[in-house]
Amino acid sequence: DNDTFPLWYVQEVEGFRTDVRVMVLSYMNTDWYINQLRKTYYDSGAFKLTLDEDDYRQYGPNDVLYVEETIKNEIDAGQYLKLLKEKHPALTRLSGNGEPYHILPSRSLKLTTYPLRATSVTQHPDGKTSPQELTLTVSGNYVSKNLLAIIDLIVSNEWQRPVYFNFTSLNNTGTDLMRYVVQEGPLYRLTPNKHEGENIAVNTALTYKHLVEWSDYRNLRDSGVHFNYEDFHLRMLVPVRQSFNSLALAFLNEGNAEMAAHVLEEAVDKLYRSHLRPSYTNLQAAEILRATDKNALADLLSTQAFDYFFAMVKSSIDDRRKPDPVDVYLLRESAELLARSGDDRFREQVRALGM
């Protein structure tokens, strides 16, 4: 709700970017919400879907698609959707009470796309470029209806409209989408290109504009504005801090240490005010700042984290409760970072707690 309602507000009330369709991942487990995608909404045209309303009906055979890995190689997602639509017997099983349900015979789905941008000499008959293949691997034992709908949207709309994910939805689809997204600010654009490396690819120019130049963080400066932990700190502030860290690291990997330091200086000013709770992002940012020789700022962020997590761990010990393992880990890590500056007092304080 905290991610979605502000976006709906600016569209409904202020009429801003009504050409964008905001989709809620959890709502896409319902038939009524998926079926709304077939309709025009303000300036956002209707979406094509291969599966029809009956295929997405609640408590129907496609609510959950259990993985039966009888095919070890990837299967074509478009062909799979057509077979689901046909209710093909090879994909159909019966539950204990005789109700039919469908299965997924492979853990990997190949989505063939025709990107509109010219990436190949060979052209599709409709003026599109030659096909590119995006292969998604299902991480769990089933595919939920929302992932099925996402795959249907990508396949059926043939890359005609860009698809973006926020940090939360990107990590909750049940597949390895991260290999195919590019960060462009606080959002991640799906591409047909697989990106190598451990980190998500970052468009540094666009991300800098969206995070630093175009965003307004004034409410975070006001200590009188209350931000609760779960809704605002955990789900909103921490992901934005993480986006700043990703941008700084991308600049650093490009060999631009000056911009990496500048991004984190902006982050400290906007996102690490004394009244805002520290998080693991403090330590990530401190590591990057050390790599840019901004040791004083790195120590500031590390000290904020140390003081906060020391208080949390000590409070648990004083109350004869077991400290949160994450708090203990972050306390130790912050002490180790500060020890790099030659100050071992923080390690000694950790040892004094019996850690």
Side-chain angles (χ1 to χ4, degrees):
D1 291 353
N2 293 290
D3 297 296
T4 309
F5 282 28
L7 301 178
W8 282 341
Y9 167 81
V10 296
Q11 287 185 317
E12 298 278 357
V13 178
E14 300 185 12
F16 181 76
R17 290 303 303 268
T18 54
D19 59 315
V20 174
R21 187 70 67 99
V22 177
M23 301 181 189
V24 185
L25 189 64
S26 57
Y27 288 4
M28 290 178 76
N29 281 313
T30 65
D31 51 5
W32 61 268
Y33 188 75
I34 293 171
N35 291 327
Q36 283 185 355
L37 301 176
R38 306 176 196 274
K39 301 175 183 178
T40 296
Y41 188 76
Y42 289 119
D43 298 318
S44 171
F47 287 88
K48 300 174 186 176
L49 289 170
T50 297
L51 300 179
D52 58 28
E53 293 190 16
D54 183 64
D55 295 318
Y56 283 116
R57 76 180 187 276
Q58 216 66 15
Y59 309 114
N62 299 320
D63 269 2
V64 177
L65 303 166
Y66 291 101
V67 177
E68 289 187 11
E69 206 171 349
T70 55
I71 301 174
K72 296 302 179 183
N73 297 326
E74 69 269 12
I75 61 174
D76 183 84
Q79 185 64 31
Y80 176 67
L81 290 172
K82 290 176 182 177
L83 292 174
L84 282 180
K85 189 178 180 67
E86 294 171 8
K87 299 176 175 57
H88 197 283
L91 302 179
T92 305
R93 303 289 184 270
L94 293 178
S95 67
N97 60 6
E99 292 290 328
Y101 65 92
H102 291 143
I103 59 97
L104 176 63
S106 173
R107 194 168 290 281
S108 297
L109 288 161
K110 179 177 65 179
L111 286 68
T112 303
T113 64
Y114 292 91
L116 293 178
R117 54 191 173 80
T119 55
S120 172
V121 176
T122 306
Q123 293 293 315
H124 184 272
D126 295 333
K128 302 167 188 173
T129 59
S130 59
Q132 290 179 274
E133 294 178 354
L134 181 159
T135 302
L136 297 181
T137 302
V138 177
S139 56
N141 296 319
Y142 63 88
V143 167
S144 55
K145 188 186 289 184
N146 56 9
L147 178 56
L148 176 63
I150 289 171
I151 293 170
D152 195 348
L153 281 166
I154 296 169
V155 171
S156 303
N157 292 276
E158 299 183 306
W159 232 250
Q160 297 288 321
R161 299 160 77 165
V163 178
Y164 286 81
F165 294 87
N166 69 357
F167 183 82
T168 304
S169 60
L170 184 62
N171 286 276
N172 286 282
T173 61
T175 188
D176 54 346
L177 276 173
M178 285 189 180
R179 299 185 303 162
Y180 294 95
V181 299
V182 176
Q183 184 177 350
E184 295 182 354
L187 295 180
Y188 304 83
R189 179 172 58 86
L190 184 65
T191 77
N193 305 309
K194 183 179 177 180
H195 308 290
E196 303 298 336
E198 297 180 2
N199 300 312
I200 293 176
V202 180
N203 182 321
T204 51
L206 270 180
T207 301
Y208 181 83
K209 286 181 179 178
H210 290 147
L211 285 180
V212 181
E213 293 182 351
W214 294 348
S215 294
D216 185 352
Y217 302 95
R218 283 176 295 178
N219 275 346
L220 293 176
R221 294 174 178 269
D222 187 351
S223 60
V225 176
H226 173 66
F227 298 100
N228 67 22
Y229 177 72
E230 183 175 356
D231 296 325
F232 291 99
H233 175 81
L234 187 62
R235 295 183 182 178
M236 301 185 79
L237 180 57
V238 171
V240 173
R241 287 173 171 174
Q242 178 63 57
S243 293
F244 270 82
N245 287 350
S246 297
L247 175 59
L249 186 59
F251 274 125
L252 193 62
N253 290 337
E254 290 176 358
N256 195 339
E258 183 179 355
M259 278 301 295
H262 170 66
V263 165
L264 291 181
E265 286 169 345
E266 291 284 338
V268 170
D269 178 58
K270 294 174 168 62
L271 307 174
Y272 292 93
R273 295 275 167 161
S274 59
H275 61 279
L276 298 173
R277 184 185 305 206
S279 62
Y280 69 89
T281 57
N282 283 61
L283 307 184
Q284 290 179 339
E287 289 272 18
I288 301 169
L289 284 165
R290 285 195 174 279
T292 65
D293 294 325
K294 297 290 183 180
N295 294 331
L297 206 54
D299 287 347
L300 172 66
L301 291 180
S302 300
T303 302
Q304 284 181 352
F306 180 90
D307 290 345
Y308 176 78
F309 292 111
F310 182 89
M312 294 291 287
V313 171
K314 187 175 186 304
S315 175
S316 296
I317 293 172
D318 290 346
D319 292 341
R320 299 182 183 279
R321 292 180 288 109
K322 183 178 180 180
D324 187 304
V326 175
D327 291 346
V328 172
Y329 172 78
L330 293 174
L331 174 62
R332 285 173 170 160
E333 287 298 302
S334 57
E336 290 303 315
L337 278 174
L338 288 162
R340 293 187 196 176
S341 296
D343 192 340
D344 206 40
R345 290 175 302 163
F346 300 94
R347 280 176 173 170
E348 292 170 4
Q349 290 183 60
V350 173
R351 286 193 287 267
L353 288 176
M355 295 290 104

